[in-house]
Amino acid sequence: MAYNQASFFLFAPGVGPIMETVEGAVTSSGDSVSTLSFSSSDSAAPQVFTTALRQWFMDRGFARKGDSEKQMFRGTQPTPFGMEDEIVVWLSLDEDQVTGLYMRFLLTKQTPEQIPEWTNLILALGHDFGFQIMGANHELLPCSDFLGVLVQNYNFLDFKKAKGWVI
């Protein structure tokens, strides 16, 4: 994960996170490394279909990133690293059904002004498709908790301090 982004996992209805420790792997600070996977917890839950979700994002100004079937983006901004995508979405595909999303939001000096738009996007995903967002302790939360999850993100906290953001 890059320093200038805040990343989130969202889960479709009836799907939850499974965190597994990678044996023998540690971070530079000595913490254990874990991987995230998706687990179906309710087979009767409403399904989220890839074509419908992809169209939903396109209706909100997102475009496919290159030839990627899984990656979509919206907007670009100049950064010290060159032009970067403002919002990127990766769809986790299980045939034609979406189990989860990975979303990345670019952190820049414009971030405080963008937060209401990001919040509305996440709220709409929760409302329209039933997605839930994964919190800092790997718990599933309603999408209405997006701002609370965002302000706990390590990169966001670093940028907030460095840029003097008032959120």
Side-chain angles (χ1 to χ4, degrees):
M1 174 169 60
Y3 173 73
N4 65 341
Q5 63 184 317
S7 300
F8 303 90
F9 289 97
L10 290 97
F11 293 81
V15 178
I18 295 177
M19 298 299 297
E20 297 177 313
T21 302
V22 178
E23 191 174 326
V26 294
T27 65
S28 60
S29 61
D31 296 325
S32 297
V33 174
S34 296
T35 60
L36 173 70
S37 59
F38 298 81
S39 169
S40 179
S41 59
D42 181 2
S43 60
Q47 295 181 339
V48 177
F49 293 98
T50 305
T51 53
L53 187 58
R54 185 176 288 130
Q55 185 61 52
W56 187 91
F57 277 111
M58 289 171 55
D59 292 346
R60 284 152 183 80
F62 283 77
R64 289 168 83 179
K65 187 152 178 81
D67 293 333
S68 175
E69 287 290 322
K70 293 184 177 184
Q71 196 174 0
M72 300 182 81
F73 79 102
R74 183 173 77 189
T76 58
Q77 287 188 35
T79 73
F81 308 108
M83 293 299 287
E84 293 190 62
D85 300 327
E86 289 179 11
I87 304 173
V88 180
V89 178
W90 287 264
L91 305 174
S92 176
L93 307 177
D94 180 17
E95 297 177 10
D96 61 349
Q97 182 182 347
V98 175
T99 54
L101 298 174
Y102 171 70
M103 295 185 74
R104 180 193 57 82
F105 296 87
L106 184 65
L107 300 174
T108 67
K109 64 183 178 181
Q110 289 87 12
T111 294
E113 294 82 34
Q114 293 175 308
I115 290 174
E117 177 192 347
W118 296 353
T119 301
N120 288 336
L121 180 69
I122 298 295
L123 284 172
L125 278 167
H127 177 269
D128 295 351
F129 294 98
F131 278 98
Q132 292 183 293
I133 191 166
M134 188 171 75
N137 295 316
H138 310 121
E139 73 281 19
L140 289 182
L141 301 168
C143 286
S144 57
D145 286 354
F146 170 73
L147 184 57
V149 176
L150 174 65
V151 299
Q152 293 178 38
N153 178 280
Y154 292 114
N155 289 347
F156 182 88
L157 290 170
D158 285 347
F159 264 71
K160 181 180 178 203
K161 182 178 177 183
K163 304 284 185 191
W165 294 340
V166 177
I167 307 295

